[in-house]
Amino acid sequence: MRIDRMGEARLIRLIQRTVKSRGRLRVGIGDDGCVLKNGTVVTTDAYAEGVHFELAYMSYEQVGARCACAALSDVVAMGAEPEVLVVALGLRKGMTDSEVRALYRGIERVCAQLNCEVGGGDIILLDRLVLALTATGRTKRPKLRSEANPDERLFVTGYLGLAETGRLALKLRLPKRGLLPAIRRHIEPLPRIQVLRRLGASVRALIDTSDGLATDARHIGELSRVRVVLWLDKLPIHPATHRLCRAMGLDPVRFALCSGEDYELLFTARRLVVSSVDRVPITCIGSIEAGSGLYSVSKDRLMPVLEIGYDHLTAGQTIT
Amino acid sequence: MRIDRMGEARLIRLIQRTVKSRGRLRVGIGDDGCVLKNGTVVTTDAYAEGVHFELAYMSYEQVGARCACAALSDVVAMGAEPEVLVVALGLRKGMTDSEVRALYRGIERVCAQLNCEVGGGDIILLDRLVLALTATGRTKRPKLRSEANPDERLFVTGYLGLAETGRLALKLRLPKRGLLPAIRRHIEPLPRIQVLRRLGASVRALIDTSDGLATDARHIGELSRVRVVLWLDKLPIHPATHRLCRAMGLDPVRFALCSGEDYELLFTARRLVVSSVDRVPITCIGSIEAGSGLYSVSKDRLMPVLEIGYDHLTAGQTIT
């Protein structure tokens, strides 16, 4: 079967069946990263021009920063402090040294903010710019997608759909008034490490929102074997997203469910007493219950969630 | 300046100037991999269809195995035991699940031989097959390019130019008689971990031969601030390479100096009493002296070596 018709989840299961465990890993394929027995987290991600970023409205420095944010977000989503980032670059032949330098300036700037080292890499020539970034980190107690339990609540940092709002604002060249926070979140989605540092002890299951709330919440439900119920009336939707959805005739709740690449922390906890950390809002958006499936509650009606987020293989969102 | 005119070495220096050290690394940019203070080695490499491998005469399983060998070779070249390999894949849209599975079978087979785990990865769609593999390993005492000292000898495992002999045999569809060892070394250049395990304590400077002896020996000389003198009459050149060079009218010594991707261990040691480990020959091919530059001795004449190996940016070998 062609991979662009089978979707990521099936392909990952196929790969899981092909490789064998040799007892060195605490966490293997299927989470945001793998974890060695000694607590080292390793996670890798690839980003291509025209798919994950656009040079039409982003500088090379912004591209570097954005990809570094996404890579380090996976380390944070394992409950770890980033340590080192290595960079495999596929460059276009005509690129100049100052463009490469700008890319690395962006990567370095984000690494500096997360106290992470750039440890080297590899460079090859391709037809378009591709970055494959691998980050390592360290944690005594990895946070997994599979550790949600009934009677916990579901929380998310920041805003849902804000980065996608920013992406569309740039792509469609909308007037920037009122959309700047969204554009900033798209261009430099800094991982929420300060939230992890402050609240880590309370966090049970953890994932970062890279494929859209609907998909990411489903991952927690499936891997923890619990039912996730989303409180649709409580989703944190930024005024910029409301403004964009109004202008485009979109439903902001569906937009929040399906939009990827916010790189916010989505986690479960028994209880949480703070509503923000360092001005990053933390919102309770649902509950964990015994059972299975992803459900939503809005105005007291319980419904299965049919929306799905972004699939990198079929390259689409299905809003049913 | 366009990067395809400036070469890898200058680009690496430019990147070194752009990123800052934060004291977490024992070894940073510029060796086969970086090393964290706790002895974790991290190394990343990218491989593209049409550049690093050809699907015209290699199966997907062979491609997976070959790329895994190359990635793990860098860990071994840091004096470390591989621990985990993560895989960022850029797949062509039309690829099938069985092709992806074959790729992973090849990766898994090599990892099994080196007792390394496949720890997951990421998949995106591109116009051609690209693999970015990142491997980690662990070592108490990393082996660096910069640790050669005068009065040491230079050694290499296996044969020089053997993998390139195999690549040309396949590419030019030569009759395979007498060329099979070369084809095997091109298709599955298993890292020489058994040599490292047996002789590690004697090894001083270490690098793997990925860009050709001329370039790789120069790296040792430059980073160790010593003169490297190659004994051209002693280079281990396989009968298959002699056969190919005869047929193509090439000088086998120049061929051995310039051909990349053998993934043999090139190292210095004070003295070595074995001439093979597990049937892998180990040959003394030169000496380390005070001074600088790469020189050769043949029939008692000392000459500077002008040959250079493969440069991935300018994508060429210059045989002057």
Side-chain angles (χ1 to χ4, degrees), chain B residues 165-178:
Chain B
T165 302
R167 190 184 73 83
L168 287 172
L170 288 169
K171 190 181 164 82
L172 305 174
R173 298 172 189 279
L174 303 179
K176 292 189 181 163
R177 209 169 56 85

Side-chain angles (χ1 to χ4, degrees), chain A residues 270-319:
Chain A
R270 189 63 69 90
R271 65 166 71 199
L272 217 59
V273 286
V274 296
S275 59
S276 72
V277 170
D278 288 357
R279 281 186 289 175
V280 177
I282 298 167
T283 313
C284 183
I285 60 166
S287 60
I288 307 298
E289 302 181 1
S292 65
L294 180 65
Y295 287 79
S296 68
V297 171
S298 178
K299 302 188 182 81
D300 288 336
R301 271 183 67 202
L302 187 73
M303 301 260 290
V305 174
L306 302 175
E307 283 85 355
I308 59 172
Y310 190 83
D311 189 301
H312 291 276
L313 288 186
T314 55
Q317 299 173 349
T318 314
I319 303 187

Side-chain angles (χ1 to χ4, degrees), chain A residues 165-180:
Chain A
T165 302
R167 192 184 72 84
L168 287 172
L170 288 169
K171 190 181 163 84
L172 305 174
R173 298 173 189 278
L174 303 179
K176 292 188 180 161
R177 210 169 55 87
L179 296 175
L180 278 176

Side-chain angles (χ1 to χ4, degrees), chain B residues 264-312:
Chain B
E264 297 291 351
L265 298 180
L266 180 69
F267 60 96
T268 69
R270 189 64 69 90
R271 65 166 72 199
L272 218 58
V273 286
V274 297
S275 59
S276 72
V277 170
D278 290 356
R279 281 185 290 175
V280 176
I282 297 167
T283 313
C284 183
I285 60 166
S287 60
I288 307 299
E289 301 181 3
S292 65
L294 180 66
Y295 287 79
S296 68
V297 170
S298 177
K299 302 188 183 82
D300 288 337
R301 272 184 66 202
L302 187 72
M303 302 259 290
V305 174
L306 302 175
E307 284 83 355
I308 58 172
Y310 190 83
D311 188 300
H312 292 275

Side-chain angles (χ1 to χ4, degrees), chain B:
Chain B
M1 181 190 268
R2 283 174 57 134
I3 48 151
D4 47 344
R5 295 197 186 128
M6 69 189 289
E8 273 182 288
R10 279 176 69 185
L11 195 57
I12 290 171
R13 281 196 296 274
L14 179 142
I15 291 167
Q16 282 174 318
R17 284 200 305 271
T18 309
V19 305
K20 288 192 195 76
S21 166
R22 327 205 133 76
R24 287 168 168 251
L25 295 180
R26 213 153 128 185
V27 181
I29 296 173
D31 213 302
D32 294 291
C34 68
V35 188
L36 286 159
K37 289 247 161 99
N38 65 10
T40 300
V41 173
V42 187
T43 164
T44 192
D45 270 301
Y47 313 93
E49 182 180 347
V51 182
H52 304 86
F53 57 84
E54 295 287 347
L55 287 163
Y57 53 74
M58 286 173 81
S59 68
Y60 283 97
E61 184 167 339
Q62 287 172 336
V63 168
R66 184 171 195 291
C67 295
C69 283
L72 296 176
S73 175
D74 275 329
V75 175
V76 173
M78 293 305 292
E81 291 277 337
E83 284 194 325
V84 64
L85 182 78
V86 291
V87 181
L89 275 183
L91 301 177
R92 262 180 292 97
K93 246 190 178 163
M95 281 182 69
T96 66
D97 55 346
S98 58
E99 288 168 343
V100 177
R101 207 161 177 187
L103 261 181
Y104 265 90
R105 259 203 313 275
I107 292 170
E108 164 66 20
R109 182 158 46 78
V110 168
C111 283
Q113 290 184 70
L114 283 103
N115 194 27
C116 176
E117 301 263 3
V118 181
D122 186 35
I123 296 174
I124 64 172
L125 294 179
L126 289 176
D127 319 308
R128 59 167 150 175
L129 182 59
V130 176
L131 295 90
L133 303 185
T134 304
T136 74
R138 190 159 295 267
T139 177
K140 286 195 183 131
R141 182 152 166 30
K143 303 288 182 187
L144 310 185
R145 300 175 176 187
S146 56
E147 295 196 336
N149 295 292
D151 297 329
E152 289 168 10
R153 295 281 188 244
L154 183 69
F155 298 85
V156 73
T157 59
Y159 298 94
L160 293 162
L162 189 59
E164 178 68 3
T165 302
R167 190 184 73 83
L168 287 172
L170 288 169
K171 190 181 164 82
L172 305 174
R173 298 172 189 279
L174 303 179
K176 292 189 181 163
R177 209 169 56 85
L179 297 175
L180 278 176
I183 290 170
R184 263 200 301 276
R185 191 69 198 160
H186 171 61
I187 285 188
E188 196 163 323
L190 266 177
R192 301 299 193 191
I193 189 134
Q194 72 277 47
V195 176
L196 180 77
R197 284 178 187 152
R198 190 82 67 80
L199 304 181
S202 311
V203 167
R204 307 297 294 264
L206 175 61
I207 187 173
D208 67 340
T209 59
S210 53
D211 298 330
L213 176 64
T215 293
D216 299 319
R218 231 175 235 121
H219 286 319
I220 289 183
E222 284 168 6
L223 290 171
S224 301
R225 297 163 191 268
V226 292
R227 171 176 293 182
V228 177
V229 180
L230 301 174
W231 303 341
L232 296 190
D233 304 333
K234 302 286 187 188
L235 301 188
I237 299 175
H238 194 276
T241 301
H242 279 297
R243 180 186 293 250
L244 178 98
C245 287
R246 243 188 338 266
M248 295 182 67
L250 297 172
D251 173 26
V253 171
R254 282 190 164 185
F255 188 85
L257 282 168
C258 299
S259 298
E261 305 196 323
D262 279 318
Y263 301 110
E264 297 291 351
L265 298 180
L266 180 69
F267 60 96
T268 69
R270 189 64 69 90
R271 65 166 72 199
L272 218 58
V273 286
V274 297
S275 59
S276 72
V277 170
D278 290 356
R279 281 185 290 175
V280 176
I282 297 167
T283 313
C284 183
I285 60 166
S287 60
I288 307 299
E289 301 181 3
S292 65
L294 180 66
Y295 287 79
S296 68
V297 170
S298 177
K299 302 188 183 82
D300 288 337
R301 272 184 66 202
L302 187 72
M303 302 259 290
V305 174
L306 302 175
E307 284 83 355
I308 58 172
Y310 190 83
D311 188 300
H312 292 275
L313 289 186
T314 55
Q317 300 171 349
T318 313
I319 302 186
T320 49

Side-chain angles (χ1 to χ4, degrees), chain A residues 30-53:
Chain A
D31 214 302
D32 294 291
C34 68
V35 188
L36 285 159
K37 289 248 161 99
N38 65 10
T40 300
V41 173
V42 186
T43 166
T44 192
D45 270 301
Y47 314 92
E49 181 180 347
V51 183
H52 304 84
F53 57 84

